[in-house]
Amino acid sequence: MKSFLRRRWRVTTIYAAAAVVAGGVAAVVLPPGGGIHPLAAAVPDVPSVPQLAEPGTQSAVIGSSVAENGQVCQSGAQWLRLRVTELSLRGNDSVTFTGSKSGSYTLTAQNWPGKAFHTRAFEGDCVRVQPNLADSGSKYTVDSYQYGTQSLAAATATVAAVGDVCGSSCNQTAPLVKNMAPQALVLAGDNAYDSGSSSDYSNKYNPQYGQFKSITYPTPGNHEYNTSGASGYFDYFGARAGERGKGYYSFDVGDWHFVALNSNITRDASSAQVTWLKNDLAANTKPCTAAYWHHPRFSRGDHGDNTSVTPFWNALYAAKADLIIAGHDHNYQRFAPSRPDGTRDDTNGVRELLIGTGGRGFYDYNLDSDAVQEAGNANTFGVGKLTLTATGYRADFVPVSGRTYTDTTSGNCKKASSTPAFTVGASPSSVAVPVSTSKTVTVDVGASGGFTGSVALSVSGLPSGVSGSFSPSSVSAPGSSTLTLTASASASGSATATITGTSGGVSKTASLSVTVGSTPTGFSDDFESDRGWVVNASGTDNATTGRWERGDPEETREADGSVKQLGTTTSGTNCLVTGRLAGASDGANDVDGGLTSMTSPQISVPSGGKLTFSYTFAHGDNSSTEDFLRVHVLDGTTRTKVFEKLGTSGVKVAGAWQTATVDLAQFAGRNVKLVVEAADAGTGSLWESAVDDVRVTG
């Protein structure tokens, strides 16, 4: 196939963030099985993955003069990065790009369908384009490229990163960002206190950080959602914040792919956001990946570990991501490369940097974490400085003027190699399976170097009486499968099982610790993950609003300032709450119209059983004793009321977290469920309830 050109092209130097090719574009379209047909006019604009360039990068369009050899060349270039404006590949068709000095990557149908994007950089002064197209409907278009005259190793981009910003002290951190002269500023949420309102952004954030608006790539924090729907946040940042109501998006900086996520909206494994994340990571062609959002998976600060963002971590770990930036706790913490469960993994783990030091007070860090904290500081405002290359990163904590604490770390990108490969990982890496029950494990299959094959999964070395089955049994990488482990009534023992993934003649393995145990007693739930509570399990609830849900509550107040729904939890981010959103008024999402219930999974009550939990309830002066918060024990079909709080007519009650203890000794040895109820059962009134940290112990 005859292709492309070898000549010196008109160039434009790129110093700022976006590499925009100016002027008329004469693209070269390479149809399957045919020659080159240069276009006389520019390719129409299409949705694009934003590409920010390293300082000193130059760009050129591909002209209509064509040479032999199927190459794009630039005299004097040390590396090239091609822009693909259309990639429509069918079946197993592919296009391979290879640098004249080093580097190769194969594009397939999964790479950014319907979007224009830049490839990773290839070393040398030419890139050979080799299509492998069997389907007549497959096509692609390349219209321009970026290049550098310095070595690829010397081509660096700078990204500033910080969360929990304005705050009374963001005037101290803004100069740090300015001095860094970054190509991008990424924000890890809680950007404008206290409520992320339009006023907060105008009066607190904009005077200090507004100067960076053109290079800012934000994410929202929980304080942004103190304003309904985070409207102040979306109004201020506009399209840069992603689609309103979603707030997740991605962009590229040099050879890094950055993913901005929203940890304030639904984020479980089956959510639209996590599905989008997996697809985005699968489409990415860059060798290095970073992600950022507000709530940290790991923290030794006041908020502690947050397991609700584990689905983010599962997807990023499987895709061989390199860095995660978070905020929420107002301090600086650096963690060792970790698996999603916190296990240190220096080979495949993702490093988390918690940089909640933008200018909003300080939180101590004195809690335990599932991950290994390597460094930290709880009394210094500062900004993270990421220095990025095509193969790795250096991360520095830069303190504000007058403070001396600093920290530095570095790492190599896992997918910097161009050799196609896959990996296998298990989450969690250890599991206990009671006899006569089943447990599930997520098996993630990652891909690097353009690997796109199918990986067959098997498991061996399980304890006696334990069987394992995969769904699906074969995964197209990157992807995941569910391993179901079932222990028979006679199962026993412990073993380190081996999960094996095989593709062609190559096999990769992961270890899984499996222990067979008796049926566990007791129960503990902090509501940071879904433990199986069911709303309206009886099918008889009649509340029209304010039904129970697991989530991050937003604060509500009456006009006189009386707090009704607390915007806090007793641990972590989530609790059970009657309508977590604040809405447009104090009564927008409270309980109305009757009763709402939430039923726990089955609990085996130990000898001397005791139930403890945190709760809050609040109501207006229009309440009555027909309004209530109750807890029942459901033993078979028998319901026993063990806790109750009633409304009081003519009295306002403000929300406050309290602790309750209930004797469950009468249910010892029984398998029961807890039923939590809230009701606005009389005339319409203002009623809010929440429950957190439920424990059944002996």
Side-chain angles (χ1 to χ4, degrees), residues 216-305:
T216 299
Y217 292 81
T219 60
N222 53 291
H223 277 267
E224 269 72 34
Y225 279 83
N226 284 341
T227 296
S228 181
S231 60
Y233 166 85
F234 285 104
D235 288 344
Y236 181 81
F237 288 110
R240 184 58 66 80
E243 184 178 343
R244 184 178 289 269
K246 294 183 178 179
Y248 46 87
Y249 58 94
S250 65
F251 63 101
D252 293 336
V253 182
D255 267 15
W256 279 74
H257 185 59
F258 275 74
V259 184
L261 298 170
N262 188 345
S263 60
N264 302 277
I265 63 174
T266 306
R267 53 196 177 272
D268 57 50
S270 61
S271 65
Q273 181 171 201
V274 172
T275 299
W276 172 90
L277 172 61
K278 291 178 179 178
N279 290 336
D280 181 272
L281 294 171
N284 172 43
T285 67
K286 301 294 187 179
C288 308
T289 302
Y292 59 104
W293 62 84
H294 187 59
H295 298 90
R297 169 65 183 91
F298 306 113
S299 175
R300 294 185 58 216
D302 287 0
H303 290 298
D305 286 358

Side-chain angles (χ1 to χ4, degrees), residues 555-627:
E555 183 180 288
T556 65
R557 295 174 179 261
E558 285 196 77
D560 63 358
S562 173
V563 175
K564 290 298 176 275
Q565 180 166 286
L566 296 174
T568 62
T569 62
T570 55
S571 68
T573 302
N574 298 319
C575 63
L576 291 185
V577 58
T578 52
R580 74 171 192 87
L581 296 176
S585 64
D586 52 13
N589 292 303
D590 73 318
V591 183
D592 282 323
L595 180 139
T596 176
S597 66
M598 183 75 90
T599 301
S600 76
Q602 186 167 279
I603 301 169
S604 181
V605 181
S607 176
K610 180 174 66 175
L611 165 66
T612 60
F613 61 95
S614 299
Y615 70 93
T616 175
F617 73 99
H619 59 74
D621 56 11
N622 55 356
S623 185
S624 71
T625 55
E626 294 182 87
D627 303 335

Side-chain angles (χ1 to χ4, degrees), residues 71 138 188 219 260 376 463 490:
Q71 297 185 103
S138 292
T219 60
S490 59

Side-chain angles (χ1 to χ4, degrees), residues 142-445:
V142 179
D143 75 343
S144 57
Y145 57 94
Q146 297 175 352
Y147 73 95
T149 56
Q150 58 183 341
S151 69
L152 184 58
T156 60
T158 300
V159 172
V162 69
D164 305 273
V165 186
C166 298
S168 60
S169 300
C170 65
N171 62 317
Q172 299 180 49
T173 56
L176 301 179
V177 178
K178 185 175 182 179
N179 290 338
M180 290 177 192
Q183 280 65 67
L185 165 64
V186 299
L187 297 178
D190 279 3
N191 314 305
Y193 287 87
D194 287 320
S195 300
S197 64
S198 294
S199 175
D200 289 338
Y201 271 98
S202 296
N203 299 325
K204 298 177 182 178
Y205 179 92
N206 195 64
Q208 305 301 331
Y209 273 70
Q211 61 185 308
F212 313 121
K213 193 171 184 180
S214 65
I215 62 167
T216 299
Y217 292 81
T219 60
N222 53 291
H223 277 267
E224 269 72 34
Y225 279 83
N226 284 341
T227 296
S228 181
S231 60
Y233 166 85
F234 285 104
D235 288 344
Y236 181 81
F237 288 110
R240 184 58 66 80
E243 184 178 343
R244 184 178 289 269
K246 294 183 178 179
Y248 46 87
Y249 58 94
S250 65
F251 63 101
D252 293 336
V253 182
D255 267 15
W256 279 74
H257 185 59
F258 275 74
V259 184
L261 298 170
N262 188 345
S263 60
N264 302 277
I265 63 174
T266 306
R267 53 196 177 272
D268 57 50
S270 61
S271 65
Q273 181 171 201
V274 172
T275 299
W276 172 90
L277 172 61
K278 291 178 179 178
N279 290 336
D280 181 272
L281 294 171
N284 172 43
T285 67
K286 301 294 187 179
C288 308
T289 302
Y292 59 104
W293 62 84
H294 187 59
H295 298 90
R297 169 65 183 91
F298 306 113
S299 175
R300 294 185 58 216
D302 287 0
H303 290 298
D305 286 358
N306 188 326
T307 58
S308 74
V309 296
T310 300
F312 290 169
W313 268 78
N314 287 339
L316 291 160
Y317 180 83
K320 296 292 186 182
D322 304 290
L323 277 177
I324 288 173
I325 310 295
H328 199 41
D329 268 320
H330 300 174
N331 48 44
Y332 170 77
Q333 301 179 58
R334 167 165 60 89
F335 287 89
S338 305
R339 298 174 185 173
D341 64 359
T343 303
R344 182 165 187 154
D345 185 347
D346 290 326
T347 301
N348 296 314
V350 188
R351 183 186 298 282
E352 179 188 286
L353 299 174
L354 196 165
I355 315 174
T357 52
R360 175 67 171 186
F362 295 109
Y363 293 168
D364 290 332
Y365 56 91
N366 49 22
L367 301 178
D368 291 331
S369 173
D370 290 336
V372 177
Q373 187 196 71
E374 295 180 319
N377 179 275
N379 60 14
T380 303
F381 291 125
V383 177
K385 179 182 180 181
L386 308 179
T387 304
L388 310 175
T389 71
T391 58
Y393 66 90
R394 170 175 165 158
D396 293 278
F397 178 80
V398 181
V400 297
S401 178
R403 303 309 298 265
T404 59
Y405 177 80
T406 61
D407 183 49
T408 299
T409 189
S410 61
N412 296 319
C413 299
K414 304 180 189 69
K415 296 190 294 184
S417 169
S418 59
T419 303
F422 69 92
T423 59
V424 176
S427 179
S429 58
S430 62
V431 63
V433 188
V435 295
S436 301
T437 64
S438 296
K439 291 282 187 176
T440 60
V441 174
T442 299
V443 178
D444 292 307
V445 180

